[in-house]
Amino acid sequence: MNFALLSLAIPLFSGLALLLYRRHGGPWVILSSTLSLTAALIALVEVVDGRNQTLLVGGWAELLAIRLQLEPINALLLGFTALINLLVALYWVRNCRNHNYWALASFLHTTLAALWLSGDLFNWYVTLELLSVISVALVALGGAAALRPALNYLLLSLLASLGYLLGVAIIYGRYGILDVQQLSQVTTMDTPTTLAMLLMTLGLMLKGAMWPLHLWLPPAHSQAPTAVSALLSALVVKGPLFILTLLWTRMAPVELANKGGEFLAVTGIFALLVGGWCSFRTPMLKEMVAYSTVAQLGYVMLALGLMLQWQLREMMVALWLFVLAHGLAKTSMFLAAGEMQKIFGNKRVTALRGASQTAPVVMFGFAVAGGSLIGLPPSGGFLAKWLLLQPLFTDFERWPLAFAVLLGTLVSAAYVFRVVTLAFDRAEREPPTAGDPVSEWLTLVPALLVWGMALVSETLILWLTRVAQ
Amino acid sequence: MNLAWTAILPVAVVLSSLVPGLLIFTLREEQQGLRTFLNLVGAVVKLVLVALMLYGVSQGTEFRFNFPFLPEADILLHGDALSLQFVGLSSVLWLATTIYAIGYLKHSRLKSRFFGYFSLCVSATVGLALAGNLVTFLLFYELLTLATFPLVVHTGTAEALKAGRVYLAYTLGGGALSLMGIAMLHSIGGTESFTSGGYVAPLVAEHSGSLGLAFFLLVAGFGVKAALLPLHGWLPIAMVAPAPVSALLHAVAVVKAGVFGLVRVVYDVYGVEVMEELNLNTPLLWVAAATIIYGSLRALTQTNLKKRLAYSTVSQVSYIAFGAGLLGPLAAAGAFAHLVHQGLMKVTLFYCAGAFAETLGIHGVRELNGVGRRMPATMAAFTLCALGMIGIPPMAGFISKWYLGLGALQVNEEWGLAVLVVSALLNAAYFLPLIYRGWFSSPAKEGWPEEKSFEERLTWLPETHWMLIVPALFTALLSLLAGLFAGTDLSPLAWGLFIVEREFAL
């Protein structure tokens, strides 16, 4: 537990220090993310065989104290957050224009760490609020054009917070506790619980940009600085998702979970198809990547929904694999998209005409990341999709869902290869600015990591199967 | 992990083209010498390794490499008689096509990218040939799609990009369908290694519906690359690719990968008995027969030489699916032999078509008039292989058709013989005019469309760049030898019979 707290504290203190001393933010964040990553890995080793650890902050008694919990999945997410932060910082240190980014990124890291470690409804509310405020500030770093999307994001986020808070209040009024572990023992299927779950779910879906409440996401992502887009898609939307998963799997009464599962699964399928279609149609490059996030979150919702609907515990493994694979792939894709915007000085997809000749490394990174989003073997995206598909074939009535996954795959292939095909056009012009070779290679790293998951895939899957249930 | 030489060799065969390919990507455009060196070293090393493996398999050695990947589905590379048939073909034709491509692309740009993907493409082909289970097969099958796409769009013209989009739509769609089929089989019965006689028999009682659907998905998925009707649309469009790419696509890499997958599914996943019990072979046979006839009919009306050859591929590749679907030992032997025979003959035809186009600017069928006087050696190679395609003895094509015909009679499917005869007549109808024009018509008065003269010519073969003619003569010679010496132990037919012994446990 100490190392988990350390992993949380390091970015906190580095962020505070950066408020006072504003220079060398990049190296500073790289160092603190590396240390935080190391601490998270040690914490992961401590709980790797499934022995959970809890800490009652301040030594107060149960129900009074804020309870922090370290489970294998939390530890994994802790490390994942530090890793993504590190990868983004490595790229951004060469390209950053606004030094406020570094302190904010550190606070974002801290907030997410706190979110993963928390286990009660109100703590989550606090971390969600912090997350939104920091994210809005980060989006606003994009300059004048980013102000309107940032403001919209802020307003919608407040609305979402209200919804969530109202749900929390109802639960507290009904049961008098906020701790999810405790609540799981007492919740029953009645109107207040149903209403509370509905409000919290809608709030979280809005915050997590889950279809159809995703409308703030594409404009915010496309106007934000590149590193911010990467962090938003890879990490920030995963926060509400994490809470949603825990609420439904741990707290919701079974009959309600069955209904909620159906709703989530159907919504997930729509997200997959509609998000994919929007991504295929949009003329702007970063918006295309942002809509792809909406689509990919559909897979996660589908996995969650199926788990609830049919009690398929193994779907948890698919869900976390989607989170990891999507995070890595999306980091690469946003960094590549940003790098290409920089090189070609144009924000449209068509600017990439001939990019495989003029910016081969970045384009390769983009395509490799896209391969994982499509789910081509042996990438991380494939592993997740494989696990998602397995239970769908055992039962005749689940076959239509497999068909939906098939359609989702085809749509993702369409939006990825729409860009890749353009890149092979020979009607190329010399790019207005020469790329920076180190930055170009750095955009490729997360994509290689997501394909590298194949090297440890069996161990990873078996371990997740053991601990995720 | 096992590090015996029998485990390392299959990996080495894949790496012998993968590593040079990755190195080539890093080369600058002007590092011509180093690039050629890497290409040729890779190709020769691969040939040597494959020869070693061929010898090993004929002596009964088992080659097996596995690496954990999914729970109960390892990455498994495994050299059995059937995979070696395909690996052998790929490595010989890779060497020939590399030489051809070096000559063909002498003056074009982006050669490092081209040869990089070219090597990846061969690695993927060899990988899927050696794949020991469906999951590994799928992995290389998708990699093959990704590696060939940049080759198809290599010229980067609007037409090439359009062809690339069509190609991707078909092949990624096919890949997704096969993923569904494979995931489905895995979910009901696990993924086992390919075994002669199949491994799904214990599931028949309980899951016959699922098995049927999975078979349909797999045939549709692999049928896209194998250009089975109605999934063949991409193949004639993809011929906008440079000639060496078309040669590779039509003879080894893509279409063969599809049909090889079909053969694996029929013999090593489902097995003859289950195929018959569930009556899965009849629809496959009908589709294959329809494709054979349809491809030939469409070839008749094509006025573009490469397009005519492309439709001919649609038809000829389905012979293999047809032979596999007949489920008899003789038909299977014919199908396995045709895998190699068709590859040798079709690659030659594409080499020649490319040589005509590069040297004289010939693209249309009419422009072939009198080309035999200007380029006699190329036309001779073309003629030999065109006759082989029709099935005239002693060319290799005759041998495979003979066995396919016998095989149809052996399993009492006499109509199969009729399909073969009609197809042979149609083949004659679209190949003989080409041969006639080449040798007996007089050249157009205004000269050739776009004549180029190469400096790198052989004194005794001055008609074109030596790198364009030598590979064509080499493969034409091989297809003649494969037919002439079909009775010996070293022929593709003998190896096909060897596979049949194992598959049917004769």
Side-chain angles (χ1 to χ4, degrees):
Chain A
M1 195 73 201
N2 290 335
F3 282 101
L5 290 179
L6 195 59
S7 177
L8 183 155
I10 292 168
L12 175 64
F13 286 111
S14 99
L16 290 173
L18 280 169
L19 288 183
L20 302 172
Y21 181 75
R22 293 163 54 84
R23 290 164 59 194
H24 306 300
W28 191 247
V29 168
I30 290 174
L31 180 70
S32 76
S33 314
T34 315
L35 290 176
S36 169
L37 175 62
T38 319
L41 289 179
I42 298 174
L44 179 61
V45 171
E46 283 180 3
V47 291
V48 76
D49 50 5
R51 277 174 304 169
N52 302 341
Q53 300 180 352
T54 50
L55 173 76
L56 300 170
V57 175
W60 291 83
E62 193 113 355
L63 293 177
L64 281 177
I66 292 174
R67 197 168 60 82
L68 297 182
Q69 54 186 8
L70 183 66
E71 294 172 21
I73 293 295
N74 312 21
L76 185 68
L77 288 171
L78 216 51
F80 176 68
T81 311
L83 176 69
I84 298 286
N85 251 300
L86 175 63
L87 291 170
V88 172
L90 283 174
Y91 171 80
W92 203 234
V93 72
R94 305 177 68 87
N95 298 282
C96 182
R97 307 229 177 282
N98 189 328
H99 287 273
N100 291 323
Y101 169 82
W102 300 109
L104 287 169
S106 295
F107 290 132
L108 189 76
H109 184 173
T110 315
T111 311
L112 279 166
L115 194 155
W116 308 139
L117 292 174
S118 302
D120 76 80
L121 297 178
F122 191 75
N123 246 14
W124 277 337
Y125 169 71
V126 175
T127 51
L128 276 176
E129 281 296 43
L130 277 173
L131 198 62
S132 300
V133 172
I134 298 169
S135 305
V136 168
L138 279 168
V139 171
L141 292 182
L147 288 181
R148 177 172 280 280
L151 189 65
N152 282 340
Y153 180 20
L154 182 67
L155 293 175
L156 287 175
S157 222
L158 283 175
L159 188 67
S161 301
L162 278 180
Y164 178 80
L165 189 61
L166 202 54
V168 175
I170 295 175
I171 291 282
Y172 190 68
R174 171 73 179 75
Y175 300 103
I177 25 179
L178 291 168
D179 189 286
V180 170
Q181 211 79 300
Q182 310 277 342
L183 277 168
S184 65
Q185 316 286 331
V186 294
T187 48
T188 49
M189 173 87 173
D190 53 17
T191 318
T193 316
T194 313
L195 185 63
M197 285 303 285
L198 182 69
L199 283 169
M200 288 195 283
T201 304
L202 289 179
L204 291 168
M205 282 175 70
L206 182 51
K207 278 203 187 265
M210 285 171 241
W211 188 89
L213 305 176
H214 64 281
L215 291 171
W216 62 268
L217 181 129
H221 276 53
S222 62
Q223 293 302 335
T226 297
V228 175
S229 309
L231 287 183
L232 284 182
S233 254
L235 293 176
V236 172
V237 295
K238 307 291 161 55
L241 188 76
F242 173 81
I243 300 175
L244 192 68
T245 307
L246 260 55
L247 283 187
W248 279 101
T249 52
R250 301 221 170 142
M251 200 186 95
V254 178
E255 310 92 273
L256 187 59
N258 283 341
K259 289 217 181 75
E262 217 172 317
F263 164 74
L264 283 171
V266 171
T267 319
I269 289 172
F270 274 104
L272 191 55
L273 299 180
V274 179
W277 179 251
C278 292
S279 179
F280 180 65
R281 296 296 302 170
T282 174
M284 311 308 271
L285 181 59
K286 270 183 153 185
E287 250 175 58
M288 173 252 145
V289 188
Y291 273 117
S292 143
T293 300
V294 176
Q296 293 280 316
L297 287 174
Y299 276 127
V300 185
M301 285 156 76
L302 181 61
L304 178 60
L306 295 182
M307 175 174 57
L308 297 170
Q309 197 180 351
W310 283 310
Q311 317 301 321
L312 300 169
R313 304 297 298 178
E314 61 265 38
M315 281 293 183
M316 278 308 261
V317 185
L319 190 152
W320 296 122
L321 278 177
F322 270 122
V323 168
L324 299 184
H326 173 251
L328 285 168
K330 216 21 94 55
T331 306
S332 219
M333 214 172 199
F334 264 119
L335 295 187
E339 182 70 18
M340 285 194 281
Q341 279 192 5
K342 193 180 81 185
I343 295 176
F344 298 110
N346 190 326
K347 293 186 169 184
R348 304 184 81 82
V349 173
T350 45
L352 266 56
R353 216 173 273 283
S356 98
Q357 283 88 256
T358 45
V361 177
V362 193
M363 196 54 223
F364 186 70
F366 188 93
V368 170
S372 175
L373 296 181
I374 303 172
L376 294 174
S379 66
F382 169 77
L383 301 175
K385 204 166 70 182
W386 177 264
L387 292 174
L388 177 69
L389 280 174
Q390 281 310 311
L392 299 186
F393 289 116
T394 49
D395 205 330
F396 180 71
E397 64 182 33
R398 296 178 196 158
W399 284 4
L401 290 165
F403 181 69
V405 175
L406 174 73
L407 286 184
T409 308
L410 295 180
V411 176
S412 358
Y415 66 70
V416 170
F417 277 101
R418 166 187 172 221
V419 180
V420 174
T421 313
L422 265 183
F424 280 91
D425 199 314
R426 284 280 185 98
E428 71 222 52
R429 306 141 303 204
E430 276 307 302
T433 45
D436 162 32
V438 181
S439 298
E440 292 187 359
W441 281 99
L442 283 170
T443 62
L444 186 58
V445 175
L448 294 181
L449 285 178
V450 75
W451 283 73
M453 281 168 78
L455 295 176
V456 293
S457 53
E458 196 190 24
T459 324
L460 184 65
I461 292 172
L462 292 178
W463 176 71
L464 279 172
T465 314
R466 218 170 47 244
V467 299
Q469 302 188 359
Chain B
M1 212 189 304
N2 176 5
L3 288 178
W5 75 282
T6 50
I8 293 173
L9 202 52
V11 186
V13 168
V14 177
L15 291 184
S16 61
S17 46
L18 188 65
V19 173
L22 294 178
L23 290 176
I24 288 170
F25 276 120
T26 66
L27 297 184
R28 288 190 313 279
E29 207 45 42
E30 60 276 12
Q31 289 173 298
Q32 183 100 17
L34 188 53
R35 190 166 52 231
T36 309
F37 173 77
L38 280 171
N39 264 322
L40 293 180
V41 165
V44 170
V45 167
K46 186 187 287 295
L47 261 184
V48 172
L49 294 175
V50 169
L52 252 174
M53 248 173 114
L54 268 170
Y55 176 75
V57 168
S58 71
Q59 300 301 311
T61 315
E62 211 187 331
F63 294 94
R64 208 181 166 83
F65 166 85
N66 58 333
F67 181 84
F69 177 49
L70 294 167
E72 282 143 59
D74 286 355
I75 301 255
L76 175 65
L77 293 177
H78 153 229
D80 63 0
L82 180 55
S83 48
L84 268 268
Q85 179 93 326
F86 192 17
V87 172
L89 173 76
S90 324
S91 19
V92 171
L93 293 193
W94 185 38
L95 179 60
T97 311
T98 303
I99 295 172
Y100 185 83
I102 293 170
Y104 188 90
L105 293 167
K106 194 94 196 176
H107 302 289
S108 80
R109 292 178 48 225
L110 297 173
K111 285 194 283 277
S112 285
R113 186 178 88 185
F114 180 88
F115 282 104
Y117 282 115
F118 201 69
S119 308
L120 288 194
C121 176
V122 173
S123 314
T125 310
V126 172
L128 71 86
L130 289 171
N133 59 26
L134 279 174
V135 170
T136 317
F137 188 89
L138 177 74
L139 191 152
F140 286 108
Y141 192 75
E142 296 282 30
L143 283 185
L144 181 63
T145 304
L146 301 184
T148 38
F149 169 71
L151 298 177
V152 172
V153 297
H154 182 72
T155 53
T157 57
E159 198 194 1
L161 292 183
K162 187 165 164 273
R165 285 192 191 100
V166 173
Y167 175 71
L168 277 179
Y170 273 92
T171 48
L172 285 174
L177 287 180
S178 10
L179 165 68
M180 291 292 150
I182 291 166
M184 188 162 190
L185 279 182
H186 182 90
S187 138
I188 58 177
T191 294
E192 290 177 35
S193 22
F194 294 136
T195 27
S196 305
Y199 60 78
V200 298
L203 306 171
V204 173
E206 217 178 318
H207 294 287
S208 62
S210 300
L211 283 179
L213 180 63
F215 185 78
F216 170 77
L217 288 169
L218 288 170
V219 169
F222 297 150
V224 168
K225 281 205 176 128
L228 280 182
L229 204 67
L231 308 168
H232 64 284
W234 62 272
L235 188 61
I237 298 175
M239 64 89 220
V240 297
V245 176
S246 300
L248 205 66
L249 240 66
H250 285 254
V252 213
V254 178
V255 291
K256 284 296 167 57
V259 84
F260 187 77
L262 288 179
V263 169
R264 278 289 194 207
V265 168
V266 169
Y267 286 106
D268 294 340
V269 176
Y270 280 74
V272 174
E273 281 168 24
V274 176
M275 290 285 297
E276 276 171 350
E277 193 178 338
L278 298 176
N279 201 16
L280 296 172
N281 62 324
T282 319
L284 178 61
L285 268 184
W286 280 104
V287 171
T291 315
I292 292 175
I293 303 290
Y294 173 83
S296 301
L297 284 174
R298 287 301 301 273
L300 269 179
T301 59
Q302 302 304 319
T303 52
N304 178 303
L305 179 58
K306 274 181 91 181
K307 248 193 170 146
R308 186 173 286 200
L309 293 179
Y311 274 108
S312 153
T313 306
V314 172
S315 162
Q316 292 279 338
V317 166
S318 280
Y319 279 75
I320 304 169
F322 189 70
L326 284 171
L327 298 182
L330 283 177
F336 300 146
H338 199 56
L339 190 84
V340 176
H341 292 161
Q342 189 271 350
L344 291 171
M345 296 185 294
K346 190 40 74 65
V347 94
T348 316
L349 292 174
F350 270 102
Y351 289 159
C352 296
F356 293 147
E358 269 306 276
T359 322
L360 303 175
I362 292 175
H363 296 284
V365 166
R366 282 168 185 279
E367 295 158 358
L368 275 176
N369 286 356
V371 75
R373 294 177 212 173
R374 170 68 177 75
M375 299 174 69
T378 317
M379 193 58 208
F382 188 89
T383 308
L384 269 183
C385 290
L387 292 177
M389 282 290 178
I390 303 170
I392 292 176
M395 293 299 296
F398 164 71
I399 305 293
S400 27
K401 289 196 183 179
W402 178 259
Y403 271 85
L404 285 170
L406 286 181
L409 294 180
Q410 189 187 30
V411 294
N412 299 322
E413 302 272 7
E414 283 80 7
W415 63 276
L417 200 60
V419 170
L420 293 175
V421 171
V422 170
S423 162
L425 291 175
L426 288 170
N427 289 349
Y430 65 79
F431 271 127
L432 289 179
L434 302 182
I435 298 173
Y436 179 83
R437 280 176 190 278
W439 293 114
F440 304 113
S441 299
S442 9
K445 289 203 180 60
E446 59 271 26
W448 304 107
E450 199 189 335
E451 187 163 359
K452 256 189 254 174
S453 72
F454 295 98
E455 284 165 20
E456 304 89 339
R457 286 175 304 184
L458 298 176
T459 41
W460 48 278
L461 260 181
E463 58 193 59
T464 182
H465 193 300
W466 72 270
M467 283 180 159
L468 299 184
I469 178 66
V470 171
L473 291 178
F474 170 67
T475 48
L477 182 68
L478 282 184
S479 37
L480 180 61
L481 293 179
L484 275 180
F485 296 103
T488 64
D489 283 348
L490 289 173
S491 68
L493 176 70
W495 194 266
L497 290 166
F498 176 63
I499 302 170
V500 165
E501 272 174 38
R502 306 232 165 153
E503 296 291 342
F504 287 83
L506 292 177

